[in-house]
mmCIF file of all heavy atoms in Angstrom:
data_model
loop_
_atom_site.group_PDB
_atom_site.id
_atom_site.type_symbol
_atom_site.label_atom_id
_atom_site.label_comp_id
_atom_site.label_asym_id
_atom_site.label_seq_id
_atom_site.Cartn_x
_atom_site.Cartn_y
_atom_site.Cartn_z
ATOM 1 N N LYS J 1 0.880 -1.178 0.000
ATOM 2 C CA LYS J 1 0.000 0.000 0.000
ATOM 3 C C LYS J 1 0.913 1.223 0.000
ATOM 4 O O LYS J 1 1.335 1.709 1.052
ATOM 5 C CB LYS J 1 -0.909 0.003 1.227
ATOM 6 C CG LYS J 1 -1.902 -1.144 1.270
ATOM 7 C CD LYS J 1 -3.062 -0.916 0.325
ATOM 8 C CE LYS J 1 -4.146 -1.960 0.509
ATOM 9 N NZ LYS J 1 -5.311 -1.732 -0.364
ATOM 10 N N ARG J 2 1.225 1.719 -1.190
ATOM 11 C CA ARG J 2 2.319 2.684 -1.335
ATOM 12 C C ARG J 2 2.096 3.991 -0.585
ATOM 13 O O ARG J 2 3.047 4.588 -0.085
ATOM 14 C CB ARG J 2 2.535 2.985 -2.821
ATOM 15 C CG ARG J 2 3.585 4.047 -3.081
ATOM 16 C CD ARG J 2 3.997 4.151 -4.518
ATOM 17 N NE ARG J 2 5.039 5.147 -4.683
ATOM 18 C CZ ARG J 2 5.732 5.334 -5.798
ATOM 19 N NH1 ARG J 2 5.483 4.595 -6.863
ATOM 20 N NH2 ARG J 2 6.673 6.260 -5.861
ATOM 21 N N PHE J 3 0.853 4.455 -0.513
ATOM 22 C CA PHE J 3 0.600 5.790 0.031
ATOM 23 C C PHE J 3 -0.179 5.731 1.332
ATOM 24 O O PHE J 3 -1.024 4.853 1.530
ATOM 25 C CB PHE J 3 -0.193 6.643 -0.970
ATOM 26 C CG PHE J 3 0.508 6.835 -2.281
ATOM 27 C CD1 PHE J 3 0.078 6.170 -3.408
ATOM 28 C CD2 PHE J 3 1.595 7.677 -2.386
ATOM 29 C CE1 PHE J 3 0.716 6.341 -4.630
ATOM 30 C CE2 PHE J 3 2.247 7.856 -3.594
ATOM 31 C CZ PHE J 3 1.810 7.182 -4.718
ATOM 32 N N ASP J 4 0.118 6.678 2.198
ATOM 33 C CA ASP J 4 -0.786 7.038 3.286
ATOM 34 C C ASP J 4 -1.424 8.355 2.889
ATOM 35 O O ASP J 4 -0.714 9.353 2.696
ATOM 36 C CB ASP J 4 -0.037 7.216 4.606
ATOM 37 C CG ASP J 4 0.271 5.905 5.298
ATOM 38 O OD1 ASP J 4 -0.478 4.940 5.073
ATOM 39 O OD2 ASP J 4 1.261 5.843 6.044
ATOM 40 N N VAL J 5 -2.737 8.363 2.720
ATOM 41 C CA VAL J 5 -3.447 9.624 2.507
ATOM 42 C C VAL J 5 -3.769 10.169 3.897
ATOM 43 O O VAL J 5 -4.352 9.471 4.728
ATOM 44 C CB VAL J 5 -4.733 9.418 1.690
ATOM 45 C CG1 VAL J 5 -5.382 10.765 1.370
ATOM 46 C CG2 VAL J 5 -4.424 8.664 0.398
ATOM 47 N N VAL J 6 -3.364 11.417 4.150
ATOM 48 C CA VAL J 6 -3.407 11.966 5.512
ATOM 49 C C VAL J 6 -4.327 13.185 5.554
ATOM 50 O O VAL J 6 -4.182 14.114 4.755
ATOM 51 C CB VAL J 6 -1.996 12.351 5.993
ATOM 52 C CG1 VAL J 6 -2.040 12.802 7.448
ATOM 53 C CG2 VAL J 6 -1.031 11.182 5.823
ATOM 54 N N TYR J 7 -5.261 13.164 6.496
ATOM 55 C CA TYR J 7 -6.225 14.252 6.683
ATOM 56 C C TYR J 7 -6.022 14.864 8.071
ATOM 57 O O TYR J 7 -5.751 14.152 9.041
ATOM 58 C CB TYR J 7 -7.661 13.737 6.589
ATOM 59 C CG TYR J 7 -7.999 13.004 5.322
ATOM 60 C CD1 TYR J 7 -7.616 11.675 5.138
ATOM 61 C CD2 TYR J 7 -8.720 13.627 4.297
ATOM 62 C CE1 TYR J 7 -7.940 10.985 3.971
ATOM 63 C CE2 TYR J 7 -9.046 12.940 3.124
ATOM 64 C CZ TYR J 7 -8.655 11.625 2.975
ATOM 65 O OH TYR J 7 -8.969 10.937 1.817
ATOM 66 N N HIS J 8 -6.177 16.194 8.154
ATOM 67 C CA HIS J 8 -6.110 16.874 9.445
ATOM 68 C C HIS J 8 -7.408 17.656 9.658
ATOM 69 O O HIS J 8 -7.813 18.433 8.781
ATOM 70 C CB HIS J 8 -4.913 17.830 9.498
ATOM 71 C CG HIS J 8 -3.591 17.126 9.490
ATOM 72 N ND1 HIS J 8 -2.890 16.884 8.336
ATOM 73 C CD2 HIS J 8 -2.852 16.613 10.496
ATOM 74 C CE1 HIS J 8 -1.775 16.254 8.622
ATOM 75 N NE2 HIS J 8 -1.718 16.075 9.919
ATOM 76 N N PHE J 9 -8.007 17.438 10.817
ATOM 77 C CA PHE J 9 -9.274 18.090 11.146
ATOM 78 C C PHE J 9 -9.146 18.850 12.468
ATOM 79 O O PHE J 9 -8.345 18.483 13.332
ATOM 80 C CB PHE J 9 -10.403 17.056 11.278
ATOM 81 C CG PHE J 9 -10.631 16.218 10.058
ATOM 82 C CD1 PHE J 9 -10.089 14.940 9.972
ATOM 83 C CD2 PHE J 9 -11.379 16.690 8.989
ATOM 84 C CE1 PHE J 9 -10.299 14.147 8.854
ATOM 85 C CE2 PHE J 9 -11.593 15.904 7.860
ATOM 86 C CZ PHE J 9 -11.047 14.632 7.796
ATOM 87 N N LEU J 10 -9.966 19.881 12.608
ATOM 88 C CA LEU J 10 -9.985 20.703 13.822
ATOM 89 C C LEU J 10 -11.413 20.815 14.334
ATOM 90 O O LEU J 10 -12.349 21.021 13.557
ATOM 91 C CB LEU J 10 -9.438 22.107 13.524
ATOM 92 C CG LEU J 10 -9.632 23.167 14.616
ATOM 93 C CD1 LEU J 10 -8.776 22.847 15.838
ATOM 94 C CD2 LEU J 10 -9.291 24.555 14.078
ATOM 95 N N SER J 11 -11.550 20.670 15.662
ATOM 96 C CA SER J 11 -12.846 20.880 16.311
ATOM 97 C C SER J 11 -12.761 22.091 17.232
ATOM 98 O O SER J 11 -12.191 21.998 18.330
ATOM 99 C CB SER J 11 -13.259 19.647 17.130
ATOM 100 O OG SER J 11 -14.425 19.936 17.889
ATOM 101 N N PRO J 12 -13.306 23.235 16.823
ATOM 102 C CA PRO J 12 -13.306 24.398 17.720
ATOM 103 C C PRO J 12 -14.128 24.145 18.984
ATOM 104 O O PRO J 12 -13.832 24.716 20.039
ATOM 105 C CB PRO J 12 -13.931 25.510 16.865
ATOM 106 C CG PRO J 12 -13.753 25.049 15.443
ATOM 107 C CD PRO J 12 -13.861 23.564 15.493
ATOM 108 N N ARG J 13 -15.147 23.285 18.875
ATOM 109 C CA ARG J 13 -16.029 23.056 20.026
ATOM 110 C C ARG J 13 -15.278 22.371 21.176
ATOM 111 O O ARG J 13 -15.404 22.775 22.334
ATOM 112 C CB ARG J 13 -17.222 22.206 19.590
ATOM 113 C CG ARG J 13 -18.195 21.858 20.720
ATOM 114 C CD ARG J 13 -18.843 23.097 21.319
ATOM 115 N NE ARG J 13 -19.631 23.811 20.354
ATOM 116 C CZ ARG J 13 -20.913 23.531 20.079
ATOM 117 N NH1 ARG J 13 -21.526 22.553 20.723
ATOM 118 N NH2 ARG J 13 -21.583 24.251 19.201
ATOM 119 N N ILE J 14 -14.515 21.320 20.861
ATOM 120 C CA ILE J 14 -13.796 20.620 21.922
ATOM 121 C C ILE J 14 -12.305 21.016 21.955
ATOM 122 O O ILE J 14 -11.545 20.487 22.759
ATOM 123 C CB ILE J 14 -13.924 19.099 21.785
ATOM 124 C CG1 ILE J 14 -13.261 18.597 20.494
ATOM 125 C CG2 ILE J 14 -15.374 18.671 21.847
ATOM 126 C CD1 ILE J 14 -13.227 17.079 20.383
ATOM 127 N N ASN J 15 -11.928 21.954 21.058
ATOM 128 C CA ASN J 15 -10.566 22.485 21.032
ATOM 129 C C ASN J 15 -9.529 21.374 20.869
ATOM 130 O O ASN J 15 -8.552 21.287 21.612
ATOM 131 C CB ASN J 15 -10.272 23.289 22.301
ATOM 132 C CG ASN J 15 -8.985 24.110 22.178
ATOM 133 O OD1 ASN J 15 -8.597 24.491 21.080
ATOM 134 N ND2 ASN J 15 -8.328 24.370 23.306
ATOM 135 N N GLN J 16 -9.750 20.514 19.876
ATOM 136 C CA GLN J 16 -8.839 19.412 19.616
ATOM 137 C C GLN J 16 -8.617 19.253 18.111
ATOM 138 O O GLN J 16 -9.436 19.694 17.304
ATOM 139 C CB GLN J 16 -9.379 18.085 20.184
ATOM 140 C CG GLN J 16 -9.529 18.043 21.687
ATOM 141 C CD GLN J 16 -8.193 18.109 22.414
ATOM 142 O OE1 GLN J 16 -7.145 17.890 21.819
ATOM 143 N NE2 GLN J 16 -8.238 18.436 23.704
ATOM 144 N N ARG J 17 -7.516 18.594 17.775
ATOM 145 C CA ARG J 17 -7.213 18.232 16.395
ATOM 146 C C ARG J 17 -7.110 16.719 16.299
ATOM 147 O O ARG J 17 -6.791 16.051 17.284
ATOM 148 C CB ARG J 17 -5.889 18.865 15.924
ATOM 149 C CG ARG J 17 -5.887 20.385 15.936
ATOM 150 C CD ARG J 17 -4.477 20.924 15.709
ATOM 151 N NE ARG J 17 -4.432 22.372 15.814
ATOM 152 C CZ ARG J 17 -4.375 23.206 14.784
ATOM 153 N NH1 ARG J 17 -4.354 22.720 13.548
ATOM 154 N NH2 ARG J 17 -4.335 24.503 14.951
ATOM 155 N N VAL J 18 -7.326 16.207 15.099
ATOM 156 C CA VAL J 18 -7.159 14.782 14.864
ATOM 157 C C VAL J 18 -6.550 14.581 13.483
ATOM 158 O O VAL J 18 -6.873 15.311 12.538
ATOM 159 C CB VAL J 18 -8.495 14.011 14.987
ATOM 160 C CG1 VAL J 18 -9.500 14.459 13.939
ATOM 161 C CG2 VAL J 18 -8.270 12.508 14.887
ATOM 162 N N ARG J 19 -5.636 13.628 13.406
ATOM 163 C CA ARG J 19 -5.040 13.235 12.131
ATOM 164 C C ARG J 19 -5.627 11.881 11.740
ATOM 165 O O ARG J 19 -5.664 10.953 12.548
ATOM 166 C CB ARG J 19 -3.519 13.134 12.256
ATOM 167 C CG ARG J 19 -2.818 12.670 10.985
ATOM 168 C CD ARG J 19 -1.338 12.379 11.218
ATOM 169 N NE ARG J 19 -0.620 13.563 11.668
ATOM 170 C CZ ARG J 19 -0.124 13.723 12.896
ATOM 171 N NH1 ARG J 19 -0.256 12.767 13.797
ATOM 172 N NH2 ARG J 19 0.515 14.835 13.227
ATOM 173 N N VAL J 20 -6.082 11.764 10.497
ATOM 174 C CA VAL J 20 -6.652 10.512 9.994
ATOM 175 C C VAL J 20 -5.788 10.028 8.842
ATOM 176 O O VAL J 20 -5.489 10.792 7.916
ATOM 177 C CB VAL J 20 -8.107 10.715 9.532
ATOM 178 C CG1 VAL J 20 -8.644 9.441 8.894
ATOM 179 C CG2 VAL J 20 -8.982 11.123 10.718
ATOM 180 N N LYS J 21 -5.392 8.748 8.883
ATOM 181 C CA LYS J 21 -4.577 8.164 7.831
ATOM 182 C C LYS J 21 -5.292 6.975 7.206
ATOM 183 O O LYS J 21 -5.923 6.190 7.909
ATOM 184 C CB LYS J 21 -3.213 7.703 8.375
ATOM 185 C CG LYS J 21 -2.334 8.811 8.901
ATOM 186 C CD LYS J 21 -0.886 8.357 9.020
ATOM 187 C CE LYS J 21 -0.733 7.136 9.889
ATOM 188 N NZ LYS J 21 0.691 6.757 10.060
ATOM 189 N N ALA J 22 -5.154 6.863 5.882
ATOM 190 C CA ALA J 22 -5.728 5.728 5.154
ATOM 191 C C ALA J 22 -4.691 5.227 4.163
ATOM 192 O O ALA J 22 -4.178 5.997 3.347
ATOM 193 C CB ALA J 22 -7.008 6.137 4.432
ATOM 194 N N ALA J 23 -4.353 3.938 4.228
ATOM 195 C CA ALA J 23 -3.374 3.353 3.317
ATOM 196 C C ALA J 23 -4.022 3.094 1.966
ATOM 197 O O ALA J 23 -5.163 2.635 1.872
ATOM 198 C CB ALA J 23 -2.818 2.053 3.899
ATOM 199 N N LEU J 24 -3.262 3.373 0.888
ATOM 200 C CA LEU J 24 -3.811 3.282 -0.467
ATOM 201 C C LEU J 24 -2.754 2.730 -1.413
ATOM 202 O O LEU J 24 -1.608 3.187 -1.401
ATOM 203 C CB LEU J 24 -4.260 4.668 -0.942
ATOM 204 C CG LEU J 24 -5.199 4.741 -2.146
ATOM 205 C CD1 LEU J 24 -6.561 4.190 -1.786
ATOM 206 C CD2 LEU J 24 -5.316 6.170 -2.644
ATOM 207 N N GLY J 25 -3.141 1.762 -2.245
ATOM 208 C CA GLY J 25 -2.237 1.230 -3.244
ATOM 209 C C GLY J 25 -2.034 2.209 -4.388
ATOM 210 O O GLY J 25 -2.855 3.107 -4.618
ATOM 211 N N GLU J 26 -0.940 2.027 -5.131
ATOM 212 C CA GLU J 26 -0.604 2.967 -6.201
ATOM 213 C C GLU J 26 -1.689 3.063 -7.259
ATOM 214 O O GLU J 26 -1.932 4.133 -7.814
ATOM 215 C CB GLU J 26 0.721 2.563 -6.840
ATOM 216 C CG GLU J 26 1.205 3.532 -7.907
ATOM 217 C CD GLU J 26 2.602 3.215 -8.389
ATOM 218 O OE1 GLU J 26 3.195 2.228 -7.900
ATOM 219 O OE2 GLU J 26 3.122 3.952 -9.254
ATOM 220 N N ASN J 27 -2.351 1.974 -7.553
ATOM 221 C CA ASN J 27 -3.379 1.960 -8.597
ATOM 222 C C ASN J 27 -4.791 2.005 -8.024
ATOM 223 O O ASN J 27 -5.766 1.752 -8.742
ATOM 224 C CB ASN J 27 -3.208 0.715 -9.471
ATOM 225 C CG ASN J 27 -1.877 0.712 -10.208
ATOM 226 O OD1 ASN J 27 -1.455 1.734 -10.733
ATOM 227 N ND2 ASN J 27 -1.203 -0.429 -10.225
ATOM 228 N N GLU J 28 -4.909 2.330 -6.752
ATOM 229 C CA GLU J 28 -6.219 2.420 -6.112
ATOM 230 C C GLU J 28 -6.669 3.874 -6.026
ATOM 231 O O GLU J 28 -5.862 4.798 -6.171
ATOM 232 C CB GLU J 28 -6.174 1.805 -4.713
ATOM 233 C CG GLU J 28 -5.862 0.321 -4.711
ATOM 234 C CD GLU J 28 -5.748 -0.253 -3.314
ATOM 235 O OE1 GLU J 28 -5.634 0.540 -2.347
ATOM 236 O OE2 GLU J 28 -5.761 -1.479 -3.181
ATOM 237 N N THR J 29 -7.945 4.062 -5.810
ATOM 238 C CA THR J 29 -8.507 5.405 -5.644
ATOM 239 C C THR J 29 -9.178 5.513 -4.279
ATOM 240 O O THR J 29 -9.433 4.504 -3.618
ATOM 241 C CB THR J 29 -9.536 5.716 -6.744
ATOM 242 O OG1 THR J 29 -10.625 4.770 -6.657
ATOM 243 C CG2 THR J 29 -8.900 5.623 -8.128
ATOM 244 N N ILE J 30 -9.442 6.747 -3.881
ATOM 245 C CA ILE J 30 -10.131 6.990 -2.619
ATOM 246 C C ILE J 30 -11.208 8.032 -2.870
ATOM 247 O O ILE J 30 -11.054 8.919 -3.719
ATOM 248 C CB ILE J 30 -9.135 7.458 -1.533
ATOM 249 C CG1 ILE J 30 -9.798 7.452 -0.156
ATOM 250 C CG2 ILE J 30 -8.536 8.816 -1.869
ATOM 251 C CD1 ILE J 30 -8.794 7.602 0.990
ATOM 252 N N ALA J 31 -12.312 7.924 -2.146
ATOM 253 C CA ALA J 31 -13.446 8.822 -2.367
ATOM 254 C C ALA J 31 -13.103 10.248 -1.943
ATOM 255 O O ALA J 31 -12.414 10.477 -0.954
ATOM 256 C CB ALA J 31 -14.668 8.331 -1.599
#
């Protein structure tokens, strides 16, 4: 799974951040 697609989100309500990672193959797609 060549890639980690990485997302960063912020919640002003709870004053926190979260990083989300999803492994993806070179010939695969993600929504």
Side-chain angles (χ1 to χ4, degrees):
K1 295 283 188 178
R2 176 168 182 170
F3 300 106
D4 280 333
V5 185
V6 185
Y7 304 79
H8 292 93
F9 302 98
L10 169 69
S11 172
R13 178 63 62 86
I14 64 174
N15 193 28
Q16 296 294 344
R17 299 170 184 257
V18 63
R19 178 189 299 111
V20 175
K21 296 197 303 183
L24 197 69
E26 184 172 1
N27 297 317
E28 297 177 345
T29 61
I30 191 167

